[in-house]
Amino acid sequence: MGAGTNPGNDFDATLLELAVRVARDAAATARRMRAEAIGDVETKSTATDVVTAADKAVERQVVEALRAARPGDGVLGEEYGADEASGRGADGATEPGAVRWILDPIDGTVNYLYGLPQYAVSLAAELDGTVVAGVVVNAATGAEWTATLGGGAWRDGRRLRCSAPAGLGQALVGTGFSYDARRREHQGGVVAGLITRVRDIRRFGAAALDLCAVAEGMLDGYYEKGLNPWDWAAGGLVATEAGAVVSGLNGAAPGSGLLVAASPAVFDELHDLLADLDASGGP
């Protein structure tokens, strides 16, 4: 689907058009590198949190493309952060009115490593602290989700609307887990308290794709603790523009403490249950 499918203002549409082009090229690089075999596997926070040479290569490619097209913008990327990616400071901060791009080069690195077809390039454009355009491309399948602020969420020319389940007991809910064993133990307790109150639980392993699944109604809700801006910037806009509620707990903004995204039909129920289960607590 081309970026032109999204209405919205011209500037946001222009940013989306660039994001789509850059993300598609990046997804092609990720697919090619996996086909040529993965090498140079390192570890991040733990031995189970892998980062491949492809992560770094894709991020470099995206940063170079964005710099060529819009040299005055900032970039916050997962692998190289903001210092190396944009030279604009530790948080990728930009001057007022400037664009900051938020990039996850391969969201779902473990899926990528194992060949599971749930890994994505996620790229969002943020203006004065608000995400105004975003694209998520499933690099394994080519599926693509886009959104602009106020312009709706789209996939393959089809405008997306989130689901409307009858209640939490009929809701299919996605989540994710930390690579840290202590936090994972707490998260397991939350799932144990949740699973008897919902239709079922899914864990796909890529936050950006989980959020797009909420937008498309393939999930009725999703929550996760420990997400970084690049995990949810683009997918969060897609979900919001599809009508989902995206928030933290108890009025907090979505972020590392907890992100909850759900159909308005079940958001309050899911939110309150997660608060009761202390989903934002633990290590």
Side-chain angles (χ1 to χ4, degrees), residues 35-56:
E36 292 172 354
I38 300 171
D40 190 26
V41 176
E42 302 172 0
T43 60
K44 272 158 85 174
S45 57
T46 74
T48 59
D49 187 6
V50 299
V51 55
T52 65
D55 265 303
K56 296 179 179 180

Side-chain angles (χ1 to χ4, degrees), residues 2-16:
T5 304
N6 294 61
N9 69 59
D10 291 342
F11 183 61
D12 293 354
T14 298
L15 294 176
L16 179 63

Side-chain angles (χ1 to χ4, degrees), residues 23-277:
R24 285 176 179 171
D25 289 345
T29 296
R31 285 194 304 273
R32 174 182 57 78
M33 291 191 70
R34 192 179 195 289
E36 292 172 354
I38 300 171
D40 190 26
V41 176
E42 302 172 0
T43 60
K44 272 158 85 174
S45 57
T46 74
T48 59
D49 187 6
V50 299
V51 55
T52 65
D55 265 303
K56 296 179 179 180
V58 170
E59 182 155 314
R60 283 194 300 269
Q61 175 180 317
V62 171
V63 169
E64 288 170 5
L66 293 174
R67 280 177 171 167
R70 296 181 55 86
D73 291 351
V75 181
L76 177 63
E78 180 184 16
E79 298 307 328
Y80 292 107
D83 281 326
E84 194 168 339
S86 67
R88 289 179 174 268
D91 62 352
T94 56
E95 297 295 325
V99 172
R100 181 174 77 156
W101 297 91
I102 305 174
L103 166 68
D104 195 337
I106 302 179
D107 181 40
T109 313
V110 174
N111 289 346
Y112 182 78
L113 181 67
Y114 279 81
L116 298 171
Q118 286 281 121
Y119 52 90
V121 176
S122 173
L123 183 60
E126 179 189 78
L127 182 63
D128 295 333
T130 298
V131 175
V132 298
V135 58
V136 176
V137 180
N138 184 329
T141 67
E144 183 179 289
W145 296 263
T146 61
T148 54
L149 185 64
W154 301 79
R155 179 181 174 185
D156 299 327
R158 174 171 57 90
R159 187 160 188 168
L160 302 179
R161 300 288 185 191
C162 65
S163 63
L168 189 60
Q170 298 298 310
L172 185 64
V173 177
T175 191
F177 302 106
S178 172
Y179 292 110
D180 180 89
R182 296 174 305 149
R183 179 176 291 179
R184 188 185 292 250
E185 182 178 19
H186 181 82
Q187 291 171 323
V190 175
V191 168
L194 181 65
I195 197 166
T196 60
R197 307 284 295 276
V198 300
R199 180 190 295 275
D200 209 344
I201 302 286
R202 293 291 183 268
R203 193 275 204 266
F204 296 123
L209 294 176
D210 288 330
L211 287 161
C212 291
V214 172
E216 196 163 351
M218 293 187 292
L219 290 174
D220 302 305
Y222 162 73
Y223 74 95
E224 188 166 349
K225 177 178 178 176
L227 296 179
N228 293 295
W230 47 81
D231 294 312
W232 63 274
L237 180 64
V238 172
T240 299
E241 288 294 322
V245 181
V246 180
S247 180
L249 281 189
N250 301 315
S256 60
L258 197 73
L259 179 146
V260 186
S263 162
V266 297
F267 178 85
D268 288 344
E269 285 184 273
L270 179 59
H271 169 279
D272 292 350
L273 181 54
L274 291 170
D276 289 345
L277 293 169

